[in-house]
Structure formats: structure tokens, C-alpha cells
Amino acid sequence: MKKLLPVLTASLFLVACQTTSLKVNSEADIDANSTIERVNRDALLQSENIELPSNYDVKAFNKMRIAAYVENIRFENDAKKTEIDTGIISKLLENELSRTKRYDVLTRNCTSCDYEVAFQAENTVAAGAIEVGEKLNPEYVFETSIALGSVIKKLNDHNEIIFRSLVTTKVVNPTTGEIIHSFEPIRHNMPAKRFFAIEGKFMGGFDYRKANELQEAYKEAAQKAIQVLVNRTMDYYPVGGRVTNFRNGRFAINAGINQGFAVKQPVVLFLSDDGLDIPIASGEVTPKGDAGSGVLFTWKEDDVDAQQVQKKLSAMGKDYLIRNKVYAVSVGTPEDWKL
């Protein structure tokens, strides 16, 4: 599907290990931020944008059960360094992922282990087994590493310090250790903070000498980056449900908030016919708990299958949907999604 509405915000570059060649402190890329991508309702009124998202799977139209980790936080060599609580950043990641409603996030307060494999070995009855009252196993593990940096720019009448984050996240099968997916690197640069110094002596403004000031600045840089990461996950893991009723441009689906739908979720409707999925229309879903109702935006133009479905749905409504499989699948982050 085409990129419908890029909106500039924070970013994260994802860094897997300390030997990475990606640099946070390069003054050349101070302004190189990634972007949040949202779906514009007006764009979905255009027939050419009625396309199925990549990586959708009807069998996966349910919440994903995940565990999310911040594996490590490190500072670039030239950065102003301070102590950063990895646990706080991990909670930010968990909370942002949980807020989408796309995931069942299993929080981990594990002091005796660092990785999910060790957690499962200590807490499950047998390999791959889940028993009532025992620990739940995630279907996937999100592993994130964060590199933090800062750069000082000396200007004529003041100085500026810019805080930055580079983040890498991979999705891992917790049983086999297989990397299922790696999200593309995302970078975030915070707006410059001013301070004044004469001949190396601090005079006022943002006080980078104070640990709490540094900690808050780096935490904000990490959080903004995590929000971009969450946006990427919503694009990569679409949700959906089967259309169960249709009347006068409105439809019902058998999935809602508990299955991962966001409020006013843009969707593409498609006909599933013996392995052949045919996009037929665009719309928007307002979810309830385990169900949702939607409004149809427009039918796909100049498409014979879409025109046939339109006629049959208008004539038969629910009876047609009993005999034929029509689904609604999400196409990214809603335009008014609140970060």
C-alpha cells in the first residue's frame, strides 16, 4: 500500500550490539529524523489506495502475546554520560505496546535471568507447556537495544546540546531463538536545549552537569523513539475480522478492541475465495469489546469482483456474508492516533 500520510515526529535507530558502525553523534545527521506514518482517511477514498497491507494473515487476526525487553542501553563515546535505569525504559516500551491494544504484553520482573529462554526454563513445567496457574509463555519476544548520544554545538551567543537515540528491535521466536523480523533502524533527535558558557564555565540554561537533567533528557529521547517503533509494529502486524453483516454502507465485524483494533481504525475490505484475497473496498471500524461496526468509504473502482460483491451485498446483505468470506483488515496507524 502507498504511504498515505507521513507525519514528522521522533525516531529510533535500532542498534543490535556495541560494535555497530551506526553513530549517534555525527553532526552531519543531526536533522535526520524518521517519521511517523499515519493513514489519511481522504487517501482511502482513492481507489488506487485500496490495497491489502503486507504481512497480513487471516489466521493471525487476534492479539499477539509478547514479552518486550530492553536488552541494553549504552552511550556513544562522546556523549554526556549518566546512570539510566533500564527497567524504566523497559516499562515505557511495555506500556506503549500495550496501549495499542494489538498485543497482550507479558511484563517481566525477572531478577534471576536476562533472557526469555532462561525465564521459560525456570518457570514452565515442560518445554512449550502451559498449565493453569503457571507462567504464560509469549508467542514472540521483542528485543530492543538503545544507544544514546549527545552533541554540543557552540554558537555565537549561546550553546546548544542535542540528545539523540538509536534503537534496534528484533522479533524472536522464544522457543527456537529464530529471528522472525527486524524493524528498520529509526533515529530520533530531540530539539536543541540552550545553555550559556564563557571560556568553559557554565553560566546558565540547561545544566548538563546534573544527573537528573541528563536522565530526563535521555528518557524523553528514548520514549519518543519507542513511539515510532510502536507505529512500525502496527503497520507490520495488521489486525482484522470477518464481516458479519452489511446494510446501507455500514458493516459489522466479529473483532474489536480485545482483538487489537484501534479506535477509528482504517481498514480495507477483501473477499477471500479459496486462497485468493481480493481487495474490494475501504472503510473505518469503530470497535467494541469483541466486535465492531464500520462505515464503508468507497468501493474499488474498475474492478469486476468489487462490483459484483457490491451488488450482491446490497441485495442480500447478511445472507451473502454467511455463504462468502469477507474480511476487514487494518492498514496502519489511524490519522488521529494519540502518541
Side-chain angles (χ1 to χ4, degrees), residues 1 44 49-52 266-270 279 281-282 327-329 331:
M1 172 168 287
L44 282 178
N49 288 326
I50 301 177
E51 301 175 2
L52 291 170
V267 295
V268 165
L269 281 70
F270 66 93
S282 62
Y327 294 92
V329 60
V331 289

Side-chain angles (χ1 to χ4, degrees), residues 269-284:
L269 281 70
F270 66 93
L271 173 68
S272 183
D273 183 13
D274 195 22
L276 184 63
D277 294 337
I278 306 166
I280 56 175
S282 62
E284 180 182 86

Side-chain angles (χ1 to χ4, degrees), residues 14-23 74 76 147 166 168:
L14 307 168
V15 188
C17 60
Q18 295 191 8
T19 59
T20 177
S21 62
L22 298 175
K23 293 297 181 184
R74 67 182 183 85
E76 290 293 330
L166 281 165
T168 58

Side-chain angles (χ1 to χ4, degrees), residues 266-339:
V267 295
V268 165
L269 281 70
F270 66 93
L271 173 68
S272 183
D273 183 13
D274 195 22
L276 184 63
D277 294 337
I278 306 166
I280 56 175
S282 62
E284 180 182 86
V285 166
T286 299
K288 296 181 289 185
D290 291 301
S293 61
V295 57
L296 189 140
F297 288 165
T298 188
W299 294 92
K300 192 168 179 64
E301 299 173 357
D302 303 322
D303 188 285
V304 174
D305 293 297
Q307 292 172 2
Q308 289 179 349
V309 174
Q310 179 182 7
K311 292 177 182 178
K312 292 177 180 178
L313 268 178
S314 298
M316 302 172 60
K318 189 173 183 177
D319 289 338
Y320 175 81
L321 295 168
I322 292 174
R323 298 180 177 90
N324 298 272
K325 296 178 181 179
V326 176
Y327 294 92
V329 60
S330 68
V331 289
T333 306
E335 187 175 4
D336 55 357
W337 174 258
K338 294 180 181 180
L339 294 174

